[in-house]
Amino acid sequence: MNDKLISRHFLLYILTCIGSIGIAAAQPIIIPIETHNNALVLQADKGKDVSIIYFGRKLSGNAEYSKVEGVYKQPGDYTGMFNAAYTPSGSRNLLEPAITVTHADGNTSLDLKYVSHTVTKVADDVSLLSIVLKDPVYDFEVTLFYKSYFKQDVMEQWSSIKHKEKGAVVLQKFASANLYLKAGSFYLNQYHGDWAREMEPEESKLTHGIRTMDSKLGTRANLLMPSCFMISLDKPATEDEGNVLYGSTEWSGNFRTDFELDPQDNLRIIAGINNYASPYTLQPNEAFTTPPFLYTFSDKGKGDASRKLQQWARNYKILDGKGTRLTLLNNWESTYFDFNETKLAALLKDTKKLGVDLFLLDDGWFANKYPRNDDHAGLGDWQENKSKLPNGISSLVKEAQTDGVKFGIWIEPEMVSPKSELYEKHPDWVIKQPKRDEYYFRNQLVLDLTNPKVQDFVYGIIDTLFIKNPALAYIKWDCNAVIYNAYSAHLKNQSHLYIEYVRGLYKVLERVRTKYPTVPMMLCSGGGGRVDYAALQYFTEFWPSDNTEPLERIFIQWEYSYFYPAITSSNHVTDWGKQPIKFRTDVAMMGKLGFDIVVSKLSGNDLAYCQEAIKNYDALKPIIWQGNQYRLSDPRESSTASVLYLNEAKTAGVIFNYLVNYRYGSGSKLPILVKGLDATKNYTLKEIDLYPGTTSTIDGNKIYSGEFLMRIGFNPDTRNDRTSVVVKIEEAK
Ligand code: DGJ
């Protein structure tokens, strides 16, 4: 950490320690949480209410934050708590609460007053502020946590709730975070989706009242909507301009985010676990800790915000974010359930021939009484299917080793087919209403992960695979069903089911990671049905969508990239779509490359093209995975989509360009402005990934200054016979 940063942390520490530890506040206590560019400023006033007095680009003088309120002449606040840092309900609050409780004596009022606060330094560049709040009447306490990542301007916010009342307290609502933003207007960019339609953006101006984004699906919770969103202040932010907040809840189950444009025209954001059907009974002295709500803010537009978030994710959140990944060949779309040892032996050879690192065996390898020959049976019976794989997985792992490739395997351990031995043996392990008909999602049901025995079983699936096959190198963890008929035979309190399910899942993942800390795992949920930063602490990558049609994929990957770094995005080349293999491969290269095609059916040129592209990818992957990403040309606004990945030193990068509009005469008529380069450096642009027999129309020997490329631009020359153009950019010395 450099001196400047040390002094900033020290300043934050001093500022926040003033007035600390349980004294009655004679003067308001200002608690600024500052990151490199931003500040969230809290204030404990004389009456010990804690509120948010500023959020945005930080000021150079801390003393001025207390003046902010005075320059706003907005309508009155009857309650004095529209801007509460964590809004309680049942006392004087009139708006959406962050927390609602029923006390042990049945009373439903809550007030939360400042007690103390402390700041601890977690690591270089990472600080944790905690603020203790207490009810003056009831022995009920909430601690608010704000973890700030200085360099990336990222914040994680959560709360811990506990009490010492004479009996249990019921938490009716228990948000992770409560934010408060001031601006002339607010624009919410949210996402919706479905199978094969992940991450469809919708932007709208927020009007007075409450807009709620949520999920009630239990598992595969993001199928219809993920928790990530953007809020633009005053006007919709663009890639390079505007004030924009990105947020999402680090939780793999039901979430809820309320956006309330309050009577004063300010925006209150209240986010956390969805309290739908989930009142939580909290025993005395038990702590209920909410998951973190994650956010970052930029006054330089969406591109800056996403680069910061991607950097944060690689540095602090995703498993092995600074590490490497394996390229692979998957058999799902080439065989579906129809394979045997002979077919797989050929695919293992194809894996080597293609030049990727690993072969991934997908669904269909298990179950005997009810063989997994389609998606109607067998889930839960994780023994190799004897007729397909008489010699078991271990012989395949060995064969892969002989062929010089690694071996990975698909599992869907949280699920059960009604036609399975597991269901016959343990009907009580299944989530279902005892008095109602079963209702299926993809012909299957969800196991009750609230039950420790089920947790052991799920953990055992993975553990057994590794014990039997220590050389197993990769897991694809799928999750295809949502929770219908939510009822657990194990739980006494049914309203804990949605929460305890996710906790059970994390317990299993924790055990897996304790014993197998590094093995790469793909987070899949029938596509992108479960993509969040809580799960990504245990996974190295995710499966964005079953939709691998490459044109569609440009849009899907584009939207995910606002929130997740390329190293986490598993992109496979498949036979979806009519585009040539070059287009499909180039698109998949924008993240973590994989293939799901019949290699033996490729023409000589197609195979040669793929082999060359994989070599190029291997050379470029450090930049694609760890570099900074700049979106240059938006497929929704232009005929050409263009994205740059640039190394930190600004000396090397790669630009992916695609024609996304096939109307007559479409193409990159105008140059595309490059971003992020060093204006004083000189660069060459060389087209790579050329299909055999074709030549580039880009002169790779021409030298351009960074200034030229950023002011005038470059032209990838996309057109109907050049629909996909990959350009390597390098400093010319
Ligand atoms: C859904 C996944 O998204 C697919 O990639 C594939 O693994 C199937 N499940 C297998 O059933």
mmCIF file of all heavy atoms in Angstrom, residues 195 198 220 330 332-333 336-337 360-364 366 372 374-375 379 410-412 442 444 476-480 522 524-529 543 545-547 572 596, ligand 1:
data_model
loop_
_atom_site.group_PDB
_atom_site.id
_atom_site.type_symbol
_atom_site.label_atom_id
_atom_site.label_comp_id
_atom_site.label_asym_id
_atom_site.label_seq_id
_atom_site.Cartn_x
_atom_site.Cartn_y
_atom_site.Cartn_z
ATOM 1 N N TRP A 195 -35.402 -19.314 -19.532
ATOM 2 C CA TRP A 195 -34.422 -20.230 -20.096
ATOM 3 C C TRP A 195 -34.005 -19.723 -21.482
ATOM 4 O O TRP A 195 -34.861 -19.346 -22.293
ATOM 5 C CB TRP A 195 -35.027 -21.648 -20.213
ATOM 6 C CG TRP A 195 -34.051 -22.602 -20.829
ATOM 7 C CD1 TRP A 195 -32.987 -23.186 -20.215
ATOM 8 C CD2 TRP A 195 -34.030 -23.028 -22.190
ATOM 9 N NE1 TRP A 195 -32.296 -23.952 -21.107
ATOM 10 C CE2 TRP A 195 -32.909 -23.883 -22.334
ATOM 11 C CE3 TRP A 195 -34.827 -22.777 -23.306
ATOM 12 C CZ2 TRP A 195 -32.574 -24.493 -23.537
ATOM 13 C CZ3 TRP A 195 -34.498 -23.377 -24.502
ATOM 14 C CH2 TRP A 195 -33.378 -24.236 -24.614
ATOM 15 N N GLU A 198 -31.439 -15.166 -20.923
ATOM 16 C CA GLU A 198 -30.904 -14.505 -19.740
ATOM 17 C C GLU A 198 -30.499 -13.060 -20.027
ATOM 18 O O GLU A 198 -30.155 -12.705 -21.146
ATOM 19 C CB GLU A 198 -29.663 -15.263 -19.230
ATOM 20 C CG GLU A 198 -29.943 -16.587 -18.549
ATOM 21 C CD GLU A 198 -30.080 -17.754 -19.504
ATOM 22 O OE1 GLU A 198 -30.205 -17.512 -20.721
ATOM 23 O OE2 GLU A 198 -30.070 -18.905 -19.036
ATOM 24 N N ARG A 220 -32.473 -22.019 -8.472
ATOM 25 C CA ARG A 220 -32.488 -21.448 -9.823
ATOM 26 C C ARG A 220 -33.143 -20.065 -9.766
ATOM 27 O O ARG A 220 -33.986 -19.690 -10.591
ATOM 28 C CB ARG A 220 -33.270 -22.370 -10.767
ATOM 29 C CG ARG A 220 -32.853 -22.195 -12.214
ATOM 30 C CD ARG A 220 -33.525 -23.184 -13.150
ATOM 31 N NE ARG A 220 -33.201 -22.847 -14.525
ATOM 32 C CZ ARG A 220 -33.457 -23.603 -15.575
ATOM 33 N NH1 ARG A 220 -34.039 -24.762 -15.416
ATOM 34 N NH2 ARG A 220 -33.132 -23.200 -16.782
ATOM 35 N N ASN A 330 -16.946 -30.339 -24.325
ATOM 36 C CA ASN A 330 -18.094 -30.881 -23.586
ATOM 37 C C ASN A 330 -18.885 -31.774 -24.551
ATOM 38 O O ASN A 330 -18.893 -31.520 -25.752
ATOM 39 C CB ASN A 330 -18.924 -29.677 -23.119
ATOM 40 C CG ASN A 330 -20.073 -29.997 -22.177
ATOM 41 O OD1 ASN A 330 -20.931 -29.161 -21.965
ATOM 42 N ND2 ASN A 330 -20.096 -31.154 -21.585
ATOM 43 N N TRP A 332 -22.257 -32.485 -24.208
ATOM 44 C CA TRP A 332 -23.704 -32.390 -24.037
ATOM 45 C C TRP A 332 -24.423 -32.315 -25.378
ATOM 46 O O TRP A 332 -25.258 -33.150 -25.706
ATOM 47 C CB TRP A 332 -24.055 -31.209 -23.122
ATOM 48 C CG TRP A 332 -25.546 -30.977 -23.000
ATOM 49 C CD1 TRP A 332 -26.213 -29.844 -23.322
ATOM 50 C CD2 TRP A 332 -26.534 -31.903 -22.534
ATOM 51 N NE1 TRP A 332 -27.554 -29.990 -23.082
ATOM 52 C CE2 TRP A 332 -27.783 -31.255 -22.601
ATOM 53 C CE3 TRP A 332 -26.490 -33.222 -22.078
ATOM 54 C CZ2 TRP A 332 -28.968 -31.878 -22.224
ATOM 55 C CZ3 TRP A 332 -27.680 -33.850 -21.709
ATOM 56 C CH2 TRP A 332 -28.898 -33.169 -21.783
ATOM 57 N N GLU A 333 -24.069 -31.353 -26.182
ATOM 58 C CA GLU A 333 -24.835 -31.168 -27.421
ATOM 59 C C GLU A 333 -24.412 -32.131 -28.529
ATOM 60 O O GLU A 333 -25.123 -32.272 -29.515
ATOM 61 C CB GLU A 333 -24.737 -29.713 -27.873
ATOM 62 C CG GLU A 333 -25.353 -28.831 -26.815
ATOM 63 C CD GLU A 333 -25.729 -27.438 -27.279
ATOM 64 O OE1 GLU A 333 -25.624 -27.155 -28.480
ATOM 65 O OE2 GLU A 333 -26.131 -26.649 -26.412
ATOM 66 N N TYR A 336 -25.945 -35.691 -26.204
ATOM 67 C CA TYR A 336 -27.000 -35.696 -25.178
ATOM 68 C C TYR A 336 -26.843 -36.954 -24.320
ATOM 69 O O TYR A 336 -25.725 -37.210 -23.869
ATOM 70 C CB TYR A 336 -28.395 -35.536 -25.796
ATOM 71 C CG TYR A 336 -28.543 -34.128 -26.393
ATOM 72 C CD1 TYR A 336 -28.500 -33.929 -27.768
ATOM 73 C CD2 TYR A 336 -28.655 -33.025 -25.561
ATOM 74 C CE1 TYR A 336 -28.585 -32.640 -28.295
ATOM 75 C CE2 TYR A 336 -28.741 -31.741 -26.081
ATOM 76 C CZ TYR A 336 -28.699 -31.550 -27.445
ATOM 77 O OH TYR A 336 -28.756 -30.284 -27.948
ATOM 78 N N PHE A 337 -27.907 -37.740 -24.107
ATOM 79 C CA PHE A 337 -27.796 -38.873 -23.176
ATOM 80 C C PHE A 337 -27.264 -40.140 -23.858
ATOM 81 O O PHE A 337 -27.090 -41.164 -23.215
ATOM 82 C CB PHE A 337 -29.171 -39.172 -22.567
ATOM 83 C CG PHE A 337 -29.722 -38.041 -21.745
ATOM 84 C CD1 PHE A 337 -30.567 -37.086 -22.312
ATOM 85 C CD2 PHE A 337 -29.396 -37.918 -20.404
ATOM 86 C CE1 PHE A 337 -31.078 -36.037 -21.557
ATOM 87 C CE2 PHE A 337 -29.898 -36.868 -19.638
ATOM 88 C CZ PHE A 337 -30.744 -35.923 -20.214
ATOM 89 N N LEU A 360 -15.163 -32.780 -20.808
ATOM 90 C CA LEU A 360 -16.205 -32.683 -19.786
ATOM 91 C C LEU A 360 -17.369 -33.589 -20.156
ATOM 92 O O LEU A 360 -18.059 -33.353 -21.153
ATOM 93 C CB LEU A 360 -16.672 -31.221 -19.662
ATOM 94 C CG LEU A 360 -17.922 -30.973 -18.824
ATOM 95 C CD1 LEU A 360 -17.741 -31.408 -17.373
ATOM 96 C CD2 LEU A 360 -18.301 -29.481 -18.858
ATOM 97 N N LEU A 361 -17.560 -34.630 -19.334
ATOM 98 C CA LEU A 361 -18.672 -35.562 -19.544
ATOM 99 C C LEU A 361 -19.923 -34.995 -18.888
ATOM 100 O O LEU A 361 -19.954 -34.761 -17.685
ATOM 101 C CB LEU A 361 -18.323 -36.926 -18.932
ATOM 102 C CG LEU A 361 -19.419 -37.995 -18.989
ATOM 103 C CD1 LEU A 361 -19.833 -38.302 -20.426
ATOM 104 C CD2 LEU A 361 -18.971 -39.269 -18.277
ATOM 105 N N ASP A 362 -20.965 -34.809 -19.674
ATOM 106 C CA ASP A 362 -22.182 -34.159 -19.174
ATOM 107 C C ASP A 362 -23.188 -35.184 -18.661
ATOM 108 O O ASP A 362 -22.856 -36.351 -18.399
ATOM 109 C CB ASP A 362 -22.762 -33.263 -20.289
ATOM 110 C CG ASP A 362 -23.388 -31.995 -19.735
ATOM 111 O OD1 ASP A 362 -24.495 -32.099 -19.168
ATOM 112 O OD2 ASP A 362 -22.782 -30.918 -19.847
ATOM 113 N N ASP A 363 -24.398 -34.760 -18.545
ATOM 114 C CA ASP A 363 -25.524 -35.526 -18.008
ATOM 115 C C ASP A 363 -25.662 -36.891 -18.699
ATOM 116 O O ASP A 363 -25.402 -37.018 -19.889
ATOM 117 C CB ASP A 363 -26.791 -34.685 -18.271
ATOM 118 C CG ASP A 363 -27.964 -35.141 -17.447
ATOM 119 O OD1 ASP A 363 -27.851 -36.157 -16.765
ATOM 120 O OD2 ASP A 363 -29.004 -34.452 -17.494
ATOM 121 N N GLY A 364 -26.123 -37.904 -17.899
ATOM 122 C CA GLY A 364 -26.481 -39.188 -18.509
ATOM 123 C C GLY A 364 -25.560 -40.338 -18.159
ATOM 124 O O GLY A 364 -25.752 -41.443 -18.641
ATOM 125 N N PHE A 366 -25.084 -41.879 -15.236
ATOM 126 C CA PHE A 366 -25.356 -42.540 -13.949
ATOM 127 C C PHE A 366 -26.737 -43.206 -13.935
ATOM 128 O O PHE A 366 -27.528 -43.021 -14.858
ATOM 129 C CB PHE A 366 -25.280 -41.498 -12.823
ATOM 130 C CG PHE A 366 -26.094 -40.271 -13.136
ATOM 131 C CD1 PHE A 366 -27.433 -40.172 -12.771
ATOM 132 C CD2 PHE A 366 -25.540 -39.239 -13.865
ATOM 133 C CE1 PHE A 366 -28.185 -39.063 -13.093
ATOM 134 C CE2 PHE A 366 -26.296 -38.117 -14.196
ATOM 135 C CZ PHE A 366 -27.620 -38.031 -13.814
ATOM 136 N N ARG A 372 -30.449 -43.068 -16.489
ATOM 137 C CA ARG A 372 -30.559 -41.666 -16.913
ATOM 138 C C ARG A 372 -30.376 -41.607 -18.441
ATOM 139 O O ARG A 372 -29.333 -41.167 -18.939
ATOM 140 C CB ARG A 372 -29.481 -40.856 -16.189
ATOM 141 C CG ARG A 372 -29.488 -39.361 -16.476
ATOM 142 C CD ARG A 372 -30.617 -38.644 -15.798
ATOM 143 N NE ARG A 372 -30.498 -37.189 -15.940
ATOM 144 C CZ ARG A 372 -31.478 -36.350 -15.718
ATOM 145 N NH1 ARG A 372 -32.682 -36.782 -15.346
ATOM 146 N NH2 ARG A 372 -31.300 -35.057 -15.853
ATOM 147 N N ASP A 374 -32.785 -40.142 -20.353
ATOM 148 C CA ASP A 374 -33.403 -38.865 -20.726
ATOM 149 C C ASP A 374 -33.620 -38.112 -19.420
ATOM 150 O O ASP A 374 -33.186 -38.577 -18.364
ATOM 151 C CB ASP A 374 -34.704 -39.061 -21.522
ATOM 152 C CG ASP A 374 -35.734 -39.872 -20.754
ATOM 153 O OD1 ASP A 374 -35.830 -39.675 -19.523
ATOM 154 O OD2 ASP A 374 -36.438 -40.692 -21.361
ATOM 155 N N ASP A 375 -34.311 -36.990 -19.474
ATOM 156 C CA ASP A 375 -34.382 -36.207 -18.229
ATOM 157 C C ASP A 375 -35.589 -36.564 -17.351
ATOM 158 O O ASP A 375 -36.008 -35.776 -16.517
ATOM 159 C CB ASP A 375 -34.297 -34.699 -18.530
ATOM 160 C CG ASP A 375 -35.456 -34.200 -19.370
ATOM 161 O OD1 ASP A 375 -36.424 -34.971 -19.578
ATOM 162 O OD2 ASP A 375 -35.412 -33.043 -19.823
ATOM 163 N N LEU A 379 -31.994 -39.031 -11.557
ATOM 164 C CA LEU A 379 -31.296 -38.028 -10.743
ATOM 165 C C LEU A 379 -31.314 -38.456 -9.294
ATOM 166 O O LEU A 379 -32.382 -38.776 -8.758
ATOM 167 C CB LEU A 379 -31.969 -36.659 -10.863
ATOM 168 C CG LEU A 379 -31.559 -35.758 -12.004
ATOM 169 C CD1 LEU A 379 -32.320 -34.448 -11.903
ATOM 170 C CD2 LEU A 379 -30.061 -35.489 -12.000
ATOM 171 N N TRP A 410 -20.100 -33.806 -15.025
ATOM 172 C CA TRP A 410 -21.327 -33.064 -14.693
ATOM 173 C C TRP A 410 -22.048 -33.736 -13.529
ATOM 174 O O TRP A 410 -22.161 -34.960 -13.468
ATOM 175 C CB TRP A 410 -22.223 -33.066 -15.930
ATOM 176 C CG TRP A 410 -23.588 -32.449 -15.785
ATOM 177 C CD1 TRP A 410 -23.939 -31.189 -16.150
ATOM 178 C CD2 TRP A 410 -24.793 -33.071 -15.306
ATOM 179 N NE1 TRP A 410 -25.289 -30.984 -15.912
ATOM 180 C CE2 TRP A 410 -25.838 -32.119 -15.389
ATOM 181 C CE3 TRP A 410 -25.100 -34.335 -14.798
ATOM 182 C CZ2 TRP A 410 -27.150 -32.394 -15.003
ATOM 183 C CZ3 TRP A 410 -26.411 -34.606 -14.399
ATOM 184 C CH2 TRP A 410 -27.419 -33.630 -14.509
ATOM 185 N N ILE A 411 -22.560 -32.945 -12.628
ATOM 186 C CA ILE A 411 -23.456 -33.460 -11.585
ATOM 187 C C ILE A 411 -24.597 -32.456 -11.367
ATOM 188 O O ILE A 411 -24.460 -31.271 -11.695
ATOM 189 C CB ILE A 411 -22.733 -33.689 -10.231
ATOM 190 C CG1 ILE A 411 -21.949 -32.434 -9.825
ATOM 191 C CG2 ILE A 411 -21.840 -34.909 -10.263
ATOM 192 C CD1 ILE A 411 -21.373 -32.501 -8.418
ATOM 193 N N GLU A 412 -25.674 -32.959 -10.827
ATOM 194 C CA GLU A 412 -26.763 -32.056 -10.424
ATOM 195 C C GLU A 412 -27.204 -32.514 -9.038
ATOM 196 O O GLU A 412 -28.274 -33.104 -8.864
ATOM 197 C CB GLU A 412 -27.914 -32.114 -11.436
ATOM 198 C CG GLU A 412 -28.906 -30.999 -11.197
ATOM 199 C CD GLU A 412 -30.039 -30.970 -12.218
ATOM 200 O OE1 GLU A 412 -30.105 -31.846 -13.091
ATOM 201 O OE2 GLU A 412 -30.878 -30.054 -12.114
ATOM 202 N N ARG A 442 -38.704 -29.479 -15.094
ATOM 203 C CA ARG A 442 -37.850 -30.419 -15.851
ATOM 204 C C ARG A 442 -37.939 -31.834 -15.259
ATOM 205 O O ARG A 442 -36.943 -32.498 -15.050
ATOM 206 C CB ARG A 442 -36.399 -29.960 -15.888
ATOM 207 C CG ARG A 442 -35.683 -30.483 -17.110
ATOM 208 C CD ARG A 442 -34.189 -30.451 -16.983
ATOM 209 N NE ARG A 442 -33.574 -30.869 -18.233
ATOM 210 C CZ ARG A 442 -32.340 -31.308 -18.328
ATOM 211 N NH1 ARG A 442 -31.566 -31.363 -17.280
ATOM 212 N NH2 ARG A 442 -31.850 -31.670 -19.490
ATOM 213 N N GLN A 444 -38.397 -33.029 -12.388
ATOM 214 C CA GLN A 444 -37.623 -33.375 -11.203
ATOM 215 C C GLN A 444 -38.037 -32.546 -9.995
ATOM 216 O O GLN A 444 -38.789 -31.572 -10.120
ATOM 217 C CB GLN A 444 -36.121 -33.199 -11.490
ATOM 218 C CG GLN A 444 -35.719 -31.764 -11.773
ATOM 219 C CD GLN A 444 -34.341 -31.651 -12.430
ATOM 220 O OE1 GLN A 444 -34.098 -32.292 -13.453
ATOM 221 N NE2 GLN A 444 -33.473 -30.859 -11.856
ATOM 222 N N LYS A 476 -18.870 -29.731 -13.290
ATOM 223 C CA LYS A 476 -19.943 -28.825 -13.722
ATOM 224 C C LYS A 476 -21.126 -29.130 -12.805
ATOM 225 O O LYS A 476 -21.672 -30.237 -12.837
ATOM 226 C CB LYS A 476 -20.298 -29.102 -15.187
ATOM 227 C CG LYS A 476 -21.496 -28.309 -15.703
ATOM 228 C CD LYS A 476 -21.709 -28.592 -17.200
ATOM 229 C CE LYS A 476 -22.931 -27.894 -17.754
ATOM 230 N NZ LYS A 476 -23.185 -28.243 -19.171
ATOM 231 N N TRP A 477 -21.501 -28.159 -11.990
ATOM 232 C CA TRP A 477 -22.561 -28.338 -10.973
ATOM 233 C C TRP A 477 -23.830 -27.672 -11.494
ATOM 234 O O TRP A 477 -23.901 -26.455 -11.563
ATOM 235 C CB TRP A 477 -22.095 -27.702 -9.667
ATOM 236 C CG TRP A 477 -23.021 -27.778 -8.495
ATOM 237 C CD1 TRP A 477 -24.327 -27.425 -8.444
ATOM 238 C CD2 TRP A 477 -22.685 -28.205 -7.168
ATOM 239 N NE1 TRP A 477 -24.833 -27.608 -7.193
ATOM 240 C CE2 TRP A 477 -23.845 -28.078 -6.378
ATOM 241 C CE3 TRP A 477 -21.516 -28.668 -6.558
ATOM 242 C CZ2 TRP A 477 -23.866 -28.400 -5.019
ATOM 243 C CZ3 TRP A 477 -21.540 -28.987 -5.207
ATOM 244 C CH2 TRP A 477 -22.704 -28.866 -4.452
ATOM 245 N N ASP A 478 -24.792 -28.508 -11.850
ATOM 246 C CA ASP A 478 -26.018 -27.999 -12.469
ATOM 247 C C ASP A 478 -27.143 -27.895 -11.438
ATOM 248 O O ASP A 478 -27.077 -28.496 -10.352
ATOM 249 C CB ASP A 478 -26.425 -28.965 -13.596
ATOM 250 C CG ASP A 478 -27.187 -28.287 -14.714
ATOM 251 O OD1 ASP A 478 -27.678 -27.161 -14.506
ATOM 252 O OD2 ASP A 478 -27.322 -28.901 -15.802
ATOM 253 N N CYS A 479 -28.167 -27.165 -11.754
ATOM 254 C CA CYS A 479 -29.312 -26.994 -10.850
ATOM 255 C C CYS A 479 -30.481 -26.546 -11.719
ATOM 256 O O CYS A 479 -30.596 -25.386 -12.063
ATOM 257 C CB CYS A 479 -28.958 -25.925 -9.811
ATOM 258 S SG CYS A 479 -30.362 -25.220 -8.944
ATOM 259 N N ASN A 480 -31.313 -27.518 -12.121
ATOM 260 C CA ASN A 480 -32.298 -27.210 -13.152
ATOM 261 C C ASN A 480 -33.698 -26.888 -12.664
ATOM 262 O O ASN A 480 -34.511 -26.412 -13.440
ATOM 263 C CB ASN A 480 -32.379 -28.370 -14.152
ATOM 264 C CG ASN A 480 -31.198 -28.344 -15.105
ATOM 265 O OD1 ASN A 480 -31.108 -27.473 -15.956
ATOM 266 N ND2 ASN A 480 -30.274 -29.272 -14.943
ATOM 267 N N MET A 522 -17.776 -25.323 -12.436
ATOM 268 C CA MET A 522 -18.668 -24.418 -13.175
ATOM 269 C C MET A 522 -20.023 -24.362 -12.471
ATOM 270 O O MET A 522 -20.619 -25.390 -12.154
ATOM 271 C CB MET A 522 -18.860 -24.909 -14.609
ATOM 272 C CG MET A 522 -19.712 -23.967 -15.454
ATOM 273 S SD MET A 522 -20.581 -24.814 -16.784
ATOM 274 C CE MET A 522 -19.277 -25.093 -17.943
ATOM 275 N N CYS A 524 -23.649 -23.864 -12.868
ATOM 276 C CA CYS A 524 -24.603 -23.912 -13.979
ATOM 277 C C CYS A 524 -25.991 -24.090 -13.382
ATOM 278 O O CYS A 524 -26.171 -24.754 -12.372
ATOM 279 C CB CYS A 524 -24.256 -25.098 -14.873
ATOM 280 S SG CYS A 524 -25.444 -25.409 -16.177
ATOM 281 N N SER A 525 -26.971 -23.512 -14.006
ATOM 282 C CA SER A 525 -28.323 -23.691 -13.513
ATOM 283 C C SER A 525 -29.269 -23.654 -14.703
ATOM 284 O O SER A 525 -29.972 -22.677 -14.928
ATOM 285 C CB SER A 525 -28.630 -22.601 -12.490
ATOM 286 O OG SER A 525 -29.893 -22.801 -11.929
ATOM 287 N N GLY A 526 -29.176 -24.714 -15.509
ATOM 288 C CA GLY A 526 -29.962 -24.758 -16.746
ATOM 289 C C GLY A 526 -29.674 -23.524 -17.579
ATOM 290 O O GLY A 526 -30.567 -22.949 -18.184
ATOM 291 N N GLY A 527 -28.411 -23.096 -17.547
ATOM 292 C CA GLY A 527 -28.016 -21.784 -18.074
ATOM 293 C C GLY A 527 -27.688 -20.901 -16.879
ATOM 294 O O GLY A 527 -27.173 -21.377 -15.857
ATOM 295 N N GLY A 528 -28.055 -19.636 -16.978
ATOM 296 C CA GLY A 528 -27.667 -18.683 -15.937
ATOM 297 C C GLY A 528 -28.696 -18.516 -14.831
ATOM 298 O O GLY A 528 -28.942 -17.408 -14.374
ATOM 299 N N GLY A 529 -29.282 -19.627 -14.400
ATOM 300 C CA GLY A 529 -30.319 -19.530 -13.372
ATOM 301 C C GLY A 529 -29.797 -19.270 -11.968
ATOM 302 O O GLY A 529 -30.565 -19.062 -11.033
ATOM 303 N N TRP A 543 -22.053 -20.700 -16.108
ATOM 304 C CA TRP A 543 -22.598 -20.974 -17.446
ATOM 305 C C TRP A 543 -23.673 -19.917 -17.707
ATOM 306 O O TRP A 543 -24.739 -19.949 -17.088
ATOM 307 C CB TRP A 543 -23.179 -22.394 -17.457
ATOM 308 C CG TRP A 543 -23.743 -22.857 -18.765
ATOM 309 C CD1 TRP A 543 -24.989 -23.352 -18.980
ATOM 310 C CD2 TRP A 543 -23.077 -22.910 -20.026
ATOM 311 N NE1 TRP A 543 -25.145 -23.704 -20.292
ATOM 312 C CE2 TRP A 543 -23.985 -23.433 -20.964
ATOM 313 C CE3 TRP A 543 -21.797 -22.560 -20.464
ATOM 314 C CZ2 TRP A 543 -23.665 -23.615 -22.303
ATOM 315 C CZ3 TRP A 543 -21.482 -22.735 -21.801
ATOM 316 C CH2 TRP A 543 -22.405 -23.261 -22.703
ATOM 317 N N SER A 545 -25.734 -19.169 -20.160
ATOM 318 C CA SER A 545 -27.014 -19.486 -20.797
ATOM 319 C C SER A 545 -26.869 -20.750 -21.616
ATOM 320 O O SER A 545 -25.784 -21.020 -22.162
ATOM 321 C CB SER A 545 -27.413 -18.330 -21.723
ATOM 322 O OG SER A 545 -28.613 -18.640 -22.396
ATOM 323 N N ASP A 546 -27.948 -21.517 -21.746
ATOM 324 C CA ASP A 546 -27.928 -22.628 -22.702
ATOM 325 C C ASP A 546 -28.020 -22.099 -24.119
ATOM 326 O O ASP A 546 -27.811 -22.838 -25.082
ATOM 327 C CB ASP A 546 -29.104 -23.574 -22.433
ATOM 328 C CG ASP A 546 -28.782 -24.590 -21.348
ATOM 329 O OD1 ASP A 546 -27.631 -24.617 -20.882
ATOM 330 O OD2 ASP A 546 -29.689 -25.355 -20.964
ATOM 331 N N ASN A 547 -28.373 -20.865 -24.242
ATOM 332 C CA ASN A 547 -28.443 -20.247 -25.565
ATOM 333 C C ASN A 547 -27.019 -19.912 -26.010
ATOM 334 O O ASN A 547 -26.398 -18.977 -25.516
ATOM 335 C CB ASN A 547 -29.293 -18.974 -25.492
ATOM 336 C CG ASN A 547 -29.524 -18.371 -26.866
ATOM 337 O OD1 ASN A 547 -28.813 -18.700 -27.809
ATOM 338 N ND2 ASN A 547 -30.506 -17.496 -26.971
ATOM 339 N N HIS A 572 -19.182 -21.567 -24.771
ATOM 340 C CA HIS A 572 -18.889 -22.741 -25.588
ATOM 341 C C HIS A 572 -19.307 -22.546 -27.041
ATOM 342 O O HIS A 572 -20.361 -21.989 -27.316
ATOM 343 C CB HIS A 572 -19.591 -23.980 -25.028
ATOM 344 C CG HIS A 572 -19.046 -24.408 -23.688
ATOM 345 N ND1 HIS A 572 -19.492 -25.505 -23.013
ATOM 346 C CD2 HIS A 572 -18.074 -23.864 -22.910
ATOM 347 C CE1 HIS A 572 -18.822 -25.622 -21.870
ATOM 348 N NE2 HIS A 572 -17.972 -24.634 -21.792
ATOM 349 N N ASP A 596 -18.520 -27.510 -27.693
ATOM 350 C CA ASP A 596 -19.514 -28.556 -27.518
ATOM 351 C C ASP A 596 -20.017 -28.915 -28.909
ATOM 352 O O ASP A 596 -21.164 -28.644 -29.265
ATOM 353 C CB ASP A 596 -20.639 -28.035 -26.603
ATOM 354 C CG ASP A 596 -21.495 -29.158 -26.053
ATOM 355 O OD1 ASP A 596 -21.390 -30.281 -26.576
ATOM 356 O OD2 ASP A 596 -22.279 -28.911 -25.122
HETATM 357 C C1 DGJ B 1 -28.694 -27.856 -18.299
HETATM 358 C C2 DGJ B 1 -27.353 -27.264 -18.633
HETATM 359 O O1 DGJ B 1 -27.471 -25.889 -18.777
HETATM 360 C C3 DGJ B 1 -26.817 -27.939 -19.895
HETATM 361 O O2 DGJ B 1 -25.587 -27.355 -20.246
HETATM 362 C C4 DGJ B 1 -26.682 -29.405 -19.666
HETATM 363 O O3 DGJ B 1 -25.683 -29.656 -18.721
HETATM 364 C C5 DGJ B 1 -28.009 -29.988 -19.223
HETATM 365 N N1 DGJ B 1 -28.566 -29.278 -18.112
HETATM 366 C C6 DGJ B 1 -27.856 -31.428 -18.864
HETATM 367 O O4 DGJ B 1 -29.022 -31.963 -18.383
#
